[in-house]
Amino acid sequence: MAAESSMPSLLALAELLSSPRDEDEDDDELEQGLSSAASNLGPGHIEALKTIKPSATTHVKSGNSKEIWSAEEVVEGSEYGDSCDSREQPEYEILFKQQVGTEDLFLGMSHKDPSTACCEDMLIKIQLPDTKASDITLDIKETFLDLRSPQKKLLLHLPHPVDPNSGKACFLSEKGTLEVTLRMKREFDFINFA
């Protein structure tokens, strides 16, 4: 009984999965071809095949035709990476500083709050024990800090853009700590500090 009821359902399934055919084909031919057609079917035959159009477009850029990437496509700081360099990364800490006066502290007149959105400066403390100040090389970009010494190397992506020309660094030799203070440059600072 189960075999008789399954035959019509198999025929209906075969009709759904097969390509459109002429109406004059016999059901006998379908039953004979059912076993060979079912053996050729796989999971990809359940739905009609879709053609995928390539979504990539080619843009021709003006300038030097031998350049592979433009300056906008290269991540800042990627030129400093060196996988063969075995120097270890020093410990560091990023702190944020506000310039507050008595009117901010006692009266709250400037609408500053303790969040980093109201901070003007970023202070980076880098631990460099057994290092002389003359051995340190420091390079600061808008979003990247590169510090190198004979024993240590720090390549740090900064959490906020900074003004690389208005920063200052101070090496505390008794603690073995380099303190780098950088002025943050953010899009909405004119609103936060108005």
Side-chain angles (χ1 to χ4, degrees):
M1 205 61 158
E4 294 174 13
S5 65
S6 66
M7 190 59 169
S9 62
L10 285 175
L11 290 173
L13 180 62
E15 187 174 328
L16 285 173
L17 296 175
S18 66
S19 60
R21 58 182 168 86
D22 295 334
E23 294 295 326
D24 58 345
E25 284 186 17
D26 292 331
D27 288 335
D28 294 342
E29 292 175 4
L30 181 63
E31 288 175 9
Q32 290 173 356
L34 181 63
S35 63
S36 64
S39 65
N40 294 332
L41 295 178
H45 292 92
I46 293 174
E47 190 175 323
L49 296 175
K50 297 178 183 175
T51 58
I52 300 173
K53 296 180 182 177
S55 61
T57 57
T58 306
H59 297 287
V60 178
K61 297 179 182 176
S62 61
N64 189 355
S65 62
K66 293 187 179 188
E67 290 181 353
I68 297 173
W69 294 285
S70 67
E72 296 85 30
E73 294 173 324
V74 178
V75 178
E76 188 174 2
S78 62
E79 67 270 12
Y80 298 110
D82 186 9
S83 60
C84 298
D85 195 351
S86 62
R87 290 181 283 184
E88 65 181 29
Q89 178 176 326
E91 292 182 24
Y92 66 91
E93 182 179 18
I94 299 176
L95 304 169
F96 296 95
K97 290 173 48 175
Q98 288 185 0
Q99 296 176 355
V100 292
T102 54
E103 68 276 357
D104 300 318
L105 190 59
F106 296 112
L107 303 174
M109 295 175 66
S110 69
H111 305 292
K112 285 190 177 184
D113 60 28
S115 71
T116 59
C118 295
C119 293
E120 294 93 2
D121 296 321
M122 182 186 314
L123 174 65
I124 304 167
K125 293 183 178 182
I126 306 165
Q127 302 297 321
L128 298 168
D130 303 326
T131 305
K132 294 186 288 186
S134 60
D135 293 340
I136 298 172
T137 303
L138 182 64
D139 185 22
I140 297 176
K141 304 288 184 195
E142 189 172 310
T143 60
F144 194 76
L145 179 137
D146 177 21
L147 177 129
R148 295 174 193 243
S149 73
Q151 298 88 12
K152 310 271 186 177
K153 177 179 82 167
L154 178 62
L155 306 173
L156 179 64
H157 290 276
L158 301 173
H160 297 286
V162 297
D163 183 7
N165 299 323
S166 68
K168 61 181 178 177
C170 177
F171 185 68
L172 306 172
S173 57
E174 62 276 356
K175 292 182 180 179
T177 303
L178 177 67
E179 293 185 353
V180 182
T181 304
L182 302 168
R183 176 66 62 160
M184 290 191 286
K185 181 172 67 172
R186 293 176 291 196
E187 188 177 356
F188 295 108
D189 278 353
F190 67 94
I191 296 172
N192 292 333
F193 305 128

